Amino acid sequence: MNPDEVLLDILAHAWSLLVRGGADRKSPMHTPVVASVDAEGLPQARTMVLRKADRAAGTLRFHTDARSPKAAQLHGRPVSVLAYHAGENVQLRISGTGRVAADGEPVDALWNQSTLFARRCYLTQFAPGAVLPGPASGLPDWIEGQQPTAEQIAPARPNFAVLWIDATAIEWLHLANTGHRRAVFRAADGWAGTWLAP
Ligand SMILES: Cc1cc2nc3c(=O)[nH]c(=O)nc-3n(C[C@H](O)[C@H](O)[C@H](O)COP(=O)(O)O)c2cc1C
């Protein structure tokens, strides 16, 4: 393989790790770190569940609470996603722009596809990050430890939001005793890759 073919292979492998991360809860790439910049210009990083990676669309999808600070920090703003696969010795750093939607047909469909237990988190009475008088989940007492019915969960729907990340670059780092390797692939270059010093 010539170096360009190697780069094509690496990009395909990077996406396959992400696609698997979205589909397989046991994958180390299922829970990457998503970093935003807050209103003060400070970095804010948090773990999130990767729900789907779509190579053709160049997107990563996450679910979140529309009331959470990150929802505002991420919409139309720069975002960095960091995932590390220890078994493959691969780190991926994805740069992109966030797109947060709380209504519309695709969001309704994703809400309806989630399990009732997963949807229960969106029943919390307080916005994520609100100060509480003591330790508490924020869920109403009547639903603690229980699965809600479809009727009980309906009022939580406005709190559910989907975050799509439109990837603009993927940086790949492979660690190996035989020599580390690093490359970056940019959407602006038609996803062509460039080798970098590791
Ligand atoms: C394993 C794990 C998975 C998580 N998945 C999500 C998720 O999918 N969506 C989400 O909004 N928060 C998720 N969280 C919680 C976030 O890391 C974070 O604490 C919370 O969303 C508040 O973030 P914010 O204040 O930056 O908005 C997860 C945390 C852990 C530890």
Side-chain angles (χ1 to χ4, degrees):
M1 265 201 272
N2 69 42
D4 283 346
E5 286 170 340
V6 174
L7 284 168
L8 282 175
D9 242 38
I10 290 168
L11 181 62
H13 184 238
W15 273 108
S16 77
L17 290 178
L18 290 169
V19 168
R20 175 109 192 241
D24 176 3
R25 57 198 315 179
K26 295 203 176 109
S27 159
M29 300 224 154
H30 190 55
T31 48
V33 172
V34 178
S36 54
V37 179
D38 70 16
E40 278 80 50
L42 298 171
Q44 298 291 347
R46 80 284 290 160
T47 312
M48 291 181 82
V49 173
L50 175 60
R51 308 285 169 170
K52 185 171 181 173
D54 183 335
R55 181 177 181 179
T59 57
L60 304 180
R61 173 164 61 79
F62 299 87
H63 295 173
T64 195
D65 193 309
R67 301 166 295 175
S68 71
K70 74 175 94 45
Q73 286 167 19
L74 286 163
H75 185 59
R77 308 284 306 280
V79 51
S80 178
V81 178
L82 186 70
Y84 171 54
H85 196 303
E88 302 264 348
N89 291 325
V90 167
Q91 171 181 271
L92 297 179
R93 184 154 60 169
I94 298 110
S95 308
T97 307
R99 213 166 7 107
V100 180
D103 32 49
E105 195 279 320
V107 183
D108 288 336
L110 292 165
W111 169 255
N112 290 324
Q113 280 163 30
S114 301
T115 65
L116 288 164
F117 255 128
R119 284 186 255 174
R120 192 182 58 165
C121 326
Y122 300 94
L123 268 177
T124 53
Q125 295 152 303
F126 310 99
V131 175
L132 298 178
S137 70
L139 285 172
D141 287 344
W142 56 265
I143 199 62
E144 285 280 12
Q146 288 187 60
Q147 174 173 284
T149 63
E151 199 176 33
Q152 286 169 330
I153 205 68
R157 167 63 189 87
N159 297 332
F160 174 71
V162 179
L163 161 68
W164 281 278
I165 293 174
D166 295 310
T168 51
I170 298 178
E171 194 197 287
W172 167 90
L173 173 69
H174 181 242
L175 301 180
N177 288 336
T178 47
H180 308 324
R181 295 284 184 274
R182 182 176 168 197
V184 64
F185 304 85
R186 293 197 176 86
D189 301 335
W191 291 109
T194 307
W195 294 104
L196 301 175

